Amino acid sequence: IEKTTDVVIALYDVSGKLVRSVNHMFASGFNNFQFATGDISNGVYVLSLQSNEGVLHQKIVVNK
Protein backbone atom coordinates (compact mmCIF):
# COMPACT_ATOMS: atom_id res chain seq x y z
CA ILE A 1 0.00 0.00 0.00
CA GLU A 2 1.45 3.35 -1.02
CA LYS A 3 -0.15 5.43 1.76
CA THR A 4 -2.23 4.89 4.89
CA THR A 5 -5.67 3.83 3.71
CA ASP A 6 -9.00 2.74 5.18
CA VAL A 7 -9.97 -0.65 3.72
CA VAL A 8 -13.32 -2.45 3.87
CA ILE A 9 -12.76 -6.19 4.16
CA ALA A 10 -15.85 -8.24 3.36
CA LEU A 11 -16.53 -11.97 3.18
CA TYR A 12 -19.31 -13.28 0.91
CA ASP A 13 -20.66 -16.80 0.50
CA VAL A 14 -20.94 -18.28 -3.01
CA SER A 15 -24.52 -17.01 -3.38
CA GLY A 16 -23.29 -13.44 -2.81
CA LYS A 17 -24.66 -13.05 0.72
CA LEU A 18 -22.49 -10.89 2.99
CA VAL A 19 -21.17 -13.04 5.84
CA ARG A 20 -18.98 -10.48 7.62
CA SER A 21 -17.55 -7.03 6.99
CA VAL A 22 -14.97 -4.99 8.87
CA ASN A 23 -13.20 -1.67 8.32
CA HIS A 24 -9.47 -1.60 8.95
CA MET A 25 -6.83 1.11 8.60
CA PHE A 26 -3.72 -0.13 6.78
CA ALA A 27 -0.44 1.77 7.07
CA SER A 28 1.74 2.38 4.05
CA GLY A 29 3.92 -0.58 3.14
CA PHE A 30 3.36 -4.28 3.85
CA ASN A 31 0.44 -5.24 6.13
CA ASN A 32 -0.96 -8.42 7.69
CA PHE A 33 -4.56 -8.94 8.70
CA GLN A 34 -6.16 -12.00 10.29
CA PHE A 35 -9.81 -12.61 9.52
CA ALA A 36 -11.30 -14.90 12.19
CA THR A 37 -13.29 -17.80 10.72
CA GLY A 38 -14.10 -19.68 13.94
CA ASP A 39 -17.86 -19.15 13.62
CA ILE A 40 -18.00 -19.55 9.82
CA SER A 41 -19.00 -22.84 8.21
CA ASN A 42 -16.63 -24.76 5.99
CA GLY A 43 -16.96 -23.84 2.33
CA VAL A 44 -15.91 -21.55 -0.48
CA TYR A 45 -16.13 -17.78 0.02
CA VAL A 46 -15.13 -14.59 -1.75
CA LEU A 47 -12.94 -12.18 0.21
CA SER A 48 -13.23 -8.58 -0.97
CA LEU A 49 -10.86 -5.74 -0.09
CA GLN A 50 -12.08 -2.29 -1.11
CA SER A 51 -10.28 1.05 -0.79
CA ASN A 52 -10.04 4.34 -2.65
CA GLU A 53 -7.35 2.70 -4.80
CA GLY A 54 -9.61 -0.11 -6.04
CA VAL A 55 -11.17 -3.47 -5.25
CA LEU A 56 -9.56 -6.90 -4.94
CA HIS A 57 -11.59 -10.12 -4.90
CA GLN A 58 -10.07 -13.45 -3.90
CA LYS A 59 -11.72 -16.85 -3.59
CA ILE A 60 -10.85 -18.60 -0.31
CA VAL A 61 -11.71 -21.97 1.23
CA VAL A 62 -12.56 -22.33 4.91
CA ASN A 63 -11.77 -25.85 6.09
CA LYS A 64 -11.49 -26.47 9.82
Side-chain angles (χ1 to χ4, degrees):
I1 295 179
E2 292 182 19
K3 61 182 180 178
T4 300
T5 293
D6 188 35
V7 177
V8 177
I9 304 164
L11 187 68
Y12 298 91
D13 65 16
V14 290
S15 69
K17 179 181 173 190
L18 179 64
V19 175
R20 178 177 297 148
S21 178
V22 296
N23 292 348
H24 189 76
M25 185 66 68
F26 285 102
S28 63
F30 183 79
N31 291 269
N32 285 321
F33 181 82
Q34 291 185 338
F35 202 86
T37 59
D39 60 339
I40 296 173
S41 300
N42 289 347
V44 177
Y45 296 87
V46 175
L47 184 66
S48 172
L49 283 79
Q50 182 175 0
S51 73
N52 291 336
E53 296 182 22
V55 179
L56 171 70
H57 298 285
Q58 179 67 47
K59 181 172 69 170
I60 66 167
V61 177
V62 174
N63 187 12
K64 300 179 246 181

